[in-house]
């Protein structure tokens, strides 16, 4: 059963001089356990598409079904709650709360979910270990490298026990070694935890790690392999 | 953890937070300090007025206060003194003859108010005897003694043993005069008072005016000014009959000098006004600072909204940060103010050269600060209100951030 079902999705920005059809009729389904890259030239609509899938933005037309929920049916308050409980996010930068330590950043999302303190701590410890950050628990983001920060972001995304994790160009700010490390780690988690990852990228080496590559251009899917 | 994020965020831009905290601190120090100064000054003025001039409660023949006519006297004064002296709150009661007169020497003349008193009684009621800096206060064994204020002594070029001639209208309206010998000179902090009040023995003045066995005024002093209205009520009921038949009229110092009372109220009013103005200015500074902080952290707040932190929690986080900022400054400010006020309450603030001008209008040149508990409490509450009010606008601004726009800037 697919965990995301996208039907005829459109997003048109009308606040510009000429309306921009950033997403222009995408239909797609994502299965549990996928490790999928969304690729395409700059301005092709990758970020817009991921934001729509993540319930951060509302489509002009079309449906996004996550599990049995149509995102359209949720009001803004329910949408925030839906994101908290069902979707993991990894952004390109500014992912973490700078005044919290690595472990606090991971535990924080569980606190938002209402998980008891003791449990939060234990889960956060485990996840930092899994993401290769043992010993760095009490470092603040500023004291970690870019790659380590992205690992904390992945640990945080996992901590919320989401249906899938969306990552918009997670490696854009990383050097090639850190990019390789992060991707390998994500691929491992994809296998060991059966966690679905959907990430966008420009980077050929990142695409090569993906098991499915969806290429979009001008807001349309041009290839899906 | 939201409170802890808010607290830590406060120290992210240390300089900025310190500036705001310092501003709040200085503002409160200014507000409370100026209240301490003004209240202290007024308090001293009131205490001096009570101690040297007014005493706490006075009795007169009802018409005397309207017109200091020499024949508006209280008969049988000793009955009142006896009753008053039996009350535990009463420190002393003194009967007085009071008479307007012209005081003159060979070189000059000026109008004065002569107080005829019984020295031992009067000493328990007013502190003039403690203000004698040259010679001594009235005693029984001197010949026709008079104690004069320094200002008058300067004006009339009087010295100890100088002869002072007073000219007055006696009880029958006949102009008479008498000579007194200066035995002492006093100085209070009120030059105007010193210039116009002289003290003689009641019997000497009685002989001159032709009034015996009757007085114009009975002044009652208390150990504690706070008990003024209590004693006033007790005396009023004890002397109900005499009041009803208009033999006497009884008044507290507040009723005798309503200006003094309203001065206290005005001082309090201006202190509050000043504090509120300071706090309004501070509120704007806090709002600006926090708004700036939020704009700087736009992407971070957007990220928090994106991962699922709801509006209520975002609002709480920003609100707490603002509250911490205001309250840290406020508490430090209040503590420092307390220290400042206590210091000057103990050691006093000396005006030095400016003091001579102040004493002309009845103020001491050293001001001992005073701040009531009520003012501290009100300051604290006002600080808290300011903190809450100034946190609302930044918190709402944070809510208006759109996660998608913020996220766009992330990438
Ligand atoms: N808020 C907006 N208002 C108007 N137009 C927008 C807005 N956001 C994106 N666009 C436009 O929509 C199109 C798709 O943008 P999008 O950011 O989704 O592309 P992208 O594939 O993520 O590009 P990149 O690889 O550079 O990140 C672009 O033409 C962009 O200019
Ligand atoms: Mg993009």
């Amino acid at each position: 059963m697919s965990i995301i079902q996208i039907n005829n999705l459109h997003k048109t920005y009308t606040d510009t001089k000429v309306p921009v059809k950033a997403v222009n009729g995408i239909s797609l389904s994502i299965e549990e356990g996928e490790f999928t890259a969304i690729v395409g030239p700059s301005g092709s609509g990758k970020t817009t598409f991921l934001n729509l899938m993540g319930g951060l933005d509302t489509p002009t037309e079309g449906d996004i079904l996550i599990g049995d929920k149509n995102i359209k049916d949720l009001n803004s308050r329910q949408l925030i709650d839906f994101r908290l409980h069902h979707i993991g996010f990894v952004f390109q930068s500014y992912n973490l709360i700078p005044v919290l330590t690595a472990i606090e950043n991971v535990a924080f999302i569980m606190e938002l979910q209402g998980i008891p303190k003791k449990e939060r701590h234990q889960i956060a410890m485990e996840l930092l270990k899994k993401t290769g950050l043992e010993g760095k628990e009490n470092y603040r983001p500023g004291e970690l490298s870019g790659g380590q920060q992205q690992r904390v972001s992945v640990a945080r995304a996992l901590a919320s026990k989401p249906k899938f994790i969306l990552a918009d160009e997670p490696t854009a700010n990383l050097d090639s070694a850190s990019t390789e490390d992060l991707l390998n780690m994500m691929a491992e988690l994809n296998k060991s935890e059966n966690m679905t990852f959907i990430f966008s990228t420009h980077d050929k080496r990142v695409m090569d790690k993906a098991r499915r590559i969806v290429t979009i251009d001008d807001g349309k899917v041009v290839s899906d392999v | 953890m939201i409170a802890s994020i808010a607290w830590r965020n406060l120290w992210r831009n240390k300089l900025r937070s310190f500036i705001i905290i310092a501003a709040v601190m200085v503002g409160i120090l200014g507000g409370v300090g100026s209240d301490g100064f003004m209240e202290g000054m007024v308090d001293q003025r009131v205490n001096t007025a009570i101690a040297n001039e007014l005493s706490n409660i006075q009795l007169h023949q009802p018409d005397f206060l309207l017109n200091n006519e020499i024949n508006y006297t209280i008969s049988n004064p000793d009955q009142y003194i006896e009753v008053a002296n039996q009350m535990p709150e009463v420190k002393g009661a003194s009967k007085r003859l009071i008479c307007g007169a012209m005081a003159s020497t060979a070189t000059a003349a000026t109008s004065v108010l002569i107080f005829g008193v019984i020295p031992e009684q009067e000493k328990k009621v007013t502190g003039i005897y403690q203000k004698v800096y040259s010679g001594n206060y009235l005693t029984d064994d001197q010949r026709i003694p008079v104690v004069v204020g320094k200002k008058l002594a300067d004006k009339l070029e009087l010295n100890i043993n100088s002869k002072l001639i007073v000219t007055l209208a006696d009880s029958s309206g006949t102009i008479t005069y008498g000579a007194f010998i200066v035995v002492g000179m006093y100085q209070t902090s009120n030059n105007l008072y010193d210039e116009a009040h002289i003290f003689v023995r009641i019997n000497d003045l009685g002989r001159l005016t032709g009034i015996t066995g009757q007085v114009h005024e009975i002044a009652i002093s208390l150990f504690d000014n706070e008990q003024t209205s209590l004693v006033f009520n007790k005396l009023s009921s004890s002397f109900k009959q005499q009041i009803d038949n208009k033999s006497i009229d009884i008044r507290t110092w507040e009723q005798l000098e309503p200006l003094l009372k309203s001065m206290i109220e005005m001082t309090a009013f201006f202190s509050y006004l000043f504090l509120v103005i300071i706090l309004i200015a501070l509120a704007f500074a806090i709002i600006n600072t926090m708004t700036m902080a939020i704009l700087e952290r736009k992407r971070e707040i957007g990220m928090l909204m994106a991962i699922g932190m709801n509006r209520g929690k975002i609002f709480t986080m920003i609100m707490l940060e603002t509250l911490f900022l205001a309250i840290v400054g406020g508490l430090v400010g209040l503590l420092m103010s307390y220290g400042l006020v206590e210091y000057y309450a103990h050691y006093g603030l000396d005006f030095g050269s400016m003091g001579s001008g102040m004493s002309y209008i009845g103020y001491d040149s050293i001001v001992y600060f005073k701040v009531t508990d009520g003012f501290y409490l009100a300051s604290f509450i006002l600080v808290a209100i300011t903190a809450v009010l100034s946190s609302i606008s930044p918190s709402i601004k944070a809510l208006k951030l759109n996660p998608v726009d913020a996220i766009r800037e992330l990438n």
Side-chain angles (χ1 to χ4, degrees):
Chain A
M1 191 204 128
S2 55
I3 50 168
I4 312 175
Q5 181 64 51
I6 292 150
N7 297 324
N8 193 28
L9 193 66
H10 288 263
K11 176 71 186 182
T12 309
Y13 291 109
T14 48
D15 54 346
T16 44
K17 273 196 210 130
V18 199
V20 179
K21 293 182 171 177
V23 169
N24 192 10
I26 295 180
S27 295
L28 202 70
S29 79
I30 307 268
E31 307 298 319
E32 187 168 6
E34 278 192 22
F35 198 65
T36 298
I38 309 286
V39 303
S42 182
S44 56
K46 302 183 294 292
T47 297
T48 308
F49 181 49
L50 285 181
N51 283 349
L52 291 169
M53 266 199 283
L56 290 166
D57 213 347
T58 46
T60 318
E61 208 189 310
D63 297 295
I64 302 162
L65 294 144
I66 295 173
D68 52 3
K69 270 266 170 351
N70 192 331
I71 284 194
K72 252 199 328 213
D73 300 336
L74 302 172
N75 64 29
S76 68
R77 183 189 297 244
Q78 292 167 324
L79 205 50
I80 293 178
D81 217 46
F82 188 82
R83 291 200 298 264
L84 174 63
H85 288 97
H86 301 295
I87 308 173
F89 291 92
V90 176
F91 303 105
Q92 184 180 319
S93 54
Y94 295 98
N95 260 303
L96 303 173
I97 304 172
V99 294
L100 296 186
T101 61
I103 191 162
E104 286 169 335
N105 263 288
V106 178
F108 182 62
I109 197 155
M110 292 185 273
E111 180 181 324
L112 293 179
Q113 290 179 321
I115 292 170
K117 192 168 184 169
K118 228 174 156 175
E119 204 175 320
R120 297 201 293 259
H121 184 80
Q122 198 187 323
I123 296 173
M125 283 299 270
E126 274 167 33
L127 287 172
L128 287 176
K129 204 169 180 180
K130 272 186 196 152
T131 48
L133 290 164
E134 212 173 357
K136 304 277 187 218
E137 292 87 354
N138 295 318
Y139 285 46
R140 289 201 182 182
E143 299 160 342
L144 297 171
S145 73
Q148 289 167 333
Q149 287 183 37
Q150 291 304 69
R151 283 162 182 268
V152 179
S153 309
V154 172
R156 181 190 60 198
L158 284 170
S160 67
K161 296 202 164 60
K163 289 197 166 71
F164 56 92
I165 292 175
L166 289 174
D168 192 8
E169 305 205 34
T171 59
N173 290 341
L174 303 182
D175 60 32
S176 53
S178 308
T179 298
E180 172 103 27
D181 279 355
L182 188 72
L183 257 294
N184 287 341
M185 186 202 79
M186 280 164 57
E188 250 165 60
L189 290 168
N190 169 251
K191 284 210 186 76
S192 64
E193 315 278 309
N194 196 32
M195 177 53 67
T196 312
F197 280 89
I198 303 155
F199 51 92
S200 72
T201 186
H202 272 124
D203 191 331
K204 184 78 177 65
R205 285 165 304 174
V206 175
M207 290 175 215
D208 291 344
K209 302 267 177 196
R211 287 192 274 121
R212 176 183 178 188
I213 300 176
V214 177
T215 312
I216 56 176
D217 200 358
D218 277 338
K220 289 196 175 88
V221 177
V222 293
S223 99
D224 184 349
V225 290
Chain B
M1 212 181 279
I2 289 172
S4 135
I5 295 175
W7 176 255
R8 293 186 208 173
N9 274 339
L10 191 60
W11 305 108
R12 259 165 95 170
N13 193 328
K14 286 200 182 64
L15 181 66
R16 189 160 63 196
S17 294
F18 270 128
I19 289 172
I20 288 298
I21 287 168
V24 173
M25 210 171 74
V26 169
I28 290 181
L29 200 62
V32 175
S34 80
D35 177 69
F37 175 75
M38 293 201 290
E39 265 195 71
M41 199 159 84
V42 168
D43 197 52
Q44 267 163 263
R45 173 72 194 103
V46 168
N47 287 338
T48 310
I50 291 173
N52 294 340
E53 303 162 31
L54 290 171
S55 67
N56 299 87
I57 294 169
Q58 292 185 0
L59 273 53
H60 302 95
Q61 198 273 344
D63 293 323
F64 184 80
L65 286 173
L66 301 174
N67 178 7
N68 289 12
E69 163 65 44
I70 196 159
N71 286 317
Y72 292 153
T73 52
I74 302 174
S75 334
N76 261 331
D78 290 334
Q79 60 169 326
Y80 304 108
I81 292 195
E82 237 168 74
V83 171
N85 276 334
Q86 272 162 16
M87 294 181 181
E89 299 88 354
V90 172
K91 189 169 133 205
S94 172
K95 53 184 184 181
R96 300 162 171 171
L97 280 178
I98 301 172
C99 182
M102 184 62 75
S104 52
T105 58
T107 50
T110 185
S111 66
V112 295
L113 220 47
I114 309 179
F115 280 72
V117 300
I118 297 170
E120 286 320 304
Q121 266 184 9
E122 186 65 20
K123 278 180 178 179
K124 284 189 189 150
V125 174
T126 57
I128 297 292
Y129 74 98
Q130 289 167 322
K131 304 280 177 187
V132 172
Y133 65 93
S134 172
N136 45 47
Y137 197 64
L138 304 170
T139 57
D140 290 335
D141 52 7
Q142 297 150 329
R143 247 191 83 236
I144 46 171
V146 61
V147 171
V148 301
K150 178 173 193 306
K151 193 73 191 166
L152 185 73
D154 291 348
K155 198 168 169 184
L156 299 185
E157 294 172 15
L158 293 168
N159 280 311
I160 299 297
N161 290 329
S162 295
K163 190 186 275 185
L164 182 72
I165 309 294
V166 301
T167 311
L168 52 82
D170 71 11
S171 60
S172 63
T174 313
I175 303 292
T176 52
Y177 57 88
F180 290 89
I181 307 294
V182 175
V183 295
M185 294 187 274
Y186 70 88
Q187 184 178 22
T188 68
S189 56
N190 187 350
N191 281 343
L192 286 178
Y193 182 88
D194 297 357
E195 191 176 342
H197 297 78
I198 65 176
F199 295 85
V200 301
R201 287 187 307 225
I202 196 166
N203 292 341
D204 295 342
L205 188 59
R207 238 181 340 267
L208 202 59
T209 54
I211 301 174
T212 45
Q214 301 191 327
V215 298
H216 292 116
E217 181 172 282
I218 294 171
I220 298 167
S221 70
L222 307 181
F223 290 107
D224 181 0
N225 183 37
E226 301 285 311
Q227 288 172 324
T228 300
S229 56
L230 172 85
V231 175
F232 173 81
N233 290 337
K234 279 164 78 173
L235 288 170
S236 296
S237 61
S238 300
F239 302 139
K240 189 170 185 321
Q241 195 196 331
Q242 289 92 328
I243 292 169
D244 286 348
N245 69 25
K246 302 221 178 317
S247 301
I248 58 159
D249 178 69
I250 169 166
R251 300 211 173 182
T252 64
W253 64 268
E254 291 169 1
Q255 293 164 327
L256 290 163
E257 280 291 352
L259 274 178
L260 220 48
K261 173 78 175 166
S262 58
M263 191 167 71
I264 298 173
E265 286 160 0
M266 284 295 275
T267 306
F269 173 75
F270 279 113
S271 286
Y272 282 116
L273 189 69
F274 190 43
L275 188 66
V276 167
I277 290 171
I278 289 173
L279 288 174
I280 288 173
L282 291 175
F284 279 105
I286 294 170
I287 289 172
N288 272 330
T289 303
M290 282 307 294
T291 306
M292 223 146 76
I294 285 161
L295 289 180
E296 275 172 19
R297 275 185 237 145
K298 208 162 135 181
R299 290 177 284 202
E300 194 180 312
I301 295 167
M303 177 274 292
L304 289 169
M305 289 172 149
I307 65 168
M309 185 163 173
N310 65 35
R311 287 162 177 272
K313 284 174 179 157
I314 300 266
F315 190 90
T316 309
M317 181 176 77
I318 304 297
M319 182 131 187
L320 282 175
E321 186 174 339
T322 321
L323 284 179
F324 289 151
L325 188 63
I327 289 188
V328 168
L331 281 184
V332 177
L334 279 175
L335 279 176
M336 287 188 50
S337 305
Y338 183 76
L340 178 94
V341 168
E342 286 301 298
Y343 178 84
Y344 284 121
H346 191 253
Y347 295 104
L349 180 64
D350 196 345
F351 285 98
S353 57
M354 261 178 70
S356 59
M358 299 289 288
S359 68
Y360 228 102
I361 48 172
Y363 291 93
D364 290 316
S365 64
I366 297 180
V367 172
Y368 294 91
F369 283 32
K370 181 188 165 183
V371 174
T372 58
D373 291 348
F375 191 80
Y376 277 122
L377 185 69
S379 309
F380 183 76
I381 291 170
L382 283 172
V383 168
I385 291 174
T386 308
V388 172
L389 288 184
S390 42
S391 69
I392 291 173
S393 147
S395 307
I396 289 175
K397 279 225 173 62
L399 289 189
K400 289 214 174 113
L401 291 178
N402 177 358
V404 190
D405 297 339
I407 295 302
R408 283 257 167 221
E409 289 180 43
L410 298 188
N411 297 315

